[in-house]
Amino acid sequence: MTNPIADPLVENIDTDATTNLVLIEGTVDGAVTVTINRAAKKNAFDAATIAALRQAFETLHGAEGVRVVFLRGAGGMFSAGADLEWMRSAADWSEADNREDAMELASMLKALHDVPALTVALVEGAAFGGGAGLVAACDMAIATQDVKFSFSEVKLGLTPATISPYVVAAVGPRNAKVLFATGRVFGAGDAQAYGLVSEVAPDAGTMDALKAAIADGMKPCAPGAIGDSKRLVDMVVGQQIDHGLMEETARQIARRRVSEEGQEGVRAFLEKRKPSWAE
């Protein structure tokens, strides 16, 4: 049974993106929860699940009023990575077939990365392989104390290629080399030290409380400015601070100052009232 989008701020979300494999729920405050709904399979990926996730994330690209998107797995498990039956069927594919299949996963991860709202992984149970890649592709992650992580591809004679851009960005190249090369299992505390996890919660109840606090804290933030702020980081990271970058950042803030949100936000501040999006 699917979950409808309840939020008038996100009423333009295509509910066809909500399937039995991936559930989408929204609130009136612009908080959306995307749930991988394969609890019996430990929320492992197969081709259909990857396609459903990609559709959900791409739908959120055009959803007005969404401030934060939470990603979690059903049944107290984030994701065990690749589904065994899917892996078994792929064993006899050609290199070209495998490349096409891998591009579907890469495209889904890029769709998650490009969601304009703040994205937050809520990690319980375990996040292995591609599941840990989903965590890395989010802007931040909260994990319960007992969560286990692993980039275990090397133990199958494989490499975590499609998830690597997001993992390296999250944990840095040196940590990534160790985690990728050893395939070792590590806990939430280590994940936080590496930078894969932003905060560790003692239990699921505390994590849900943190989720509520994040959603509440995002209410004063202008939805369009959130997306532009995320794109700003992608634009400046690794760039030399030269005249060209200075000009581009000046253009960015000037565009925001004359935007509808920028004008409303500044006027509301000067008039000592809440902006329209926070009422």
Side-chain angles (χ1 to χ4, degrees):
M1 185 173 179
T2 60
N3 288 335
I5 295 298
D7 182 5
L9 290 172
V10 294
E11 60 186 2
N12 62 330
I13 289 181
D14 179 6
T15 53
D16 288 341
T18 303
T19 70
N20 287 333
L21 296 173
V22 175
L23 308 180
I24 307 177
E25 299 173 291
T27 74
V28 294
D29 296 319
V32 171
T33 301
V34 176
T35 304
I36 309 170
N37 190 39
R38 299 189 78 209
K41 296 287 187 178
K42 298 183 179 180
N43 300 314
F45 298 155
D46 61 7
T49 307
I50 289 170
L53 282 168
R54 178 180 177 178
Q55 184 181 7
F57 299 145
E58 288 181 344
T59 299
L60 290 167
H61 290 183
E64 295 181 3
V66 176
R67 297 175 173 87
V68 59
V69 174
F70 298 99
L71 176 63
R72 73 188 319 169
M77 169 68 68
F78 189 75
S79 175
D83 180 273
L84 291 177
E85 292 301 320
W86 181 47
M87 291 175 64
R88 187 173 290 115
S89 66
D92 296 323
W93 292 351
S94 67
E95 183 175 342
D97 290 336
N98 274 285
R99 184 168 58 249
E100 182 178 350
D101 181 72
M103 274 301 298
E104 293 300 318
L105 176 58
S107 297
M108 180 270 282
L109 291 166
K110 183 64 161 58
L112 170 57
H113 175 270
D114 289 347
V115 169
L118 182 74
T119 54
V120 184
L122 303 175
V123 192
E124 301 172 82
F128 289 166
L134 277 177
V135 177
C138 288
D139 300 320
M140 65 177 294
I142 301 170
T144 53
Q145 184 67 49
D146 59 351
V147 169
K148 300 300 181 185
F149 296 88
S150 178
F151 300 101
S152 54
E153 287 85 350
V154 290
K155 295 181 180 179
L156 301 175
L158 305 175
T159 61
T162 50
I163 65 175
S164 61
Y166 311 101
V167 179
V168 173
V171 307
R174 191 177 192 191
N175 287 330
K177 285 180 180 179
V178 173
L179 296 176
F180 288 175
T182 64
R184 73 179 186 86
V185 176
F186 56 99
D190 284 340
Q192 185 176 30
Y194 292 140
L196 184 62
V197 164
S198 312
E199 192 160 352
V200 176
D203 50 44
T206 305
M207 186 170 71
D208 285 338
L210 289 170
K211 175 190 175 186
I214 291 170
D216 188 63
M218 295 299 292
K219 290 178 186 178
C221 305
I226 294 169
D228 280 354
S229 295
K230 288 180 56 173
R231 286 184 287 271
L232 178 65
V233 175
D234 290 334
M235 183 192 76
V236 303
V237 67
Q239 297 296 311
Q240 182 180 354
I241 304 175
D242 57 14
H243 187 72
L245 185 62
M246 292 162 61
E247 284 191 329
E248 181 55 35
T249 54
R251 279 193 291 270
Q252 293 279 337
I253 186 59
R255 191 177 301 122
R256 265 280 130 194
R257 286 175 180 173
V258 299
S259 70
E260 183 177 344
E261 279 187 349
Q263 292 282 299
E264 167 63 11
V266 172
R267 288 195 176 103
F269 177 77
L270 294 174
E271 295 167 8
K272 298 182 179 180
R273 60 174 175 83
K274 289 184 178 180
S276 58
W277 60 80
E279 293 177 348

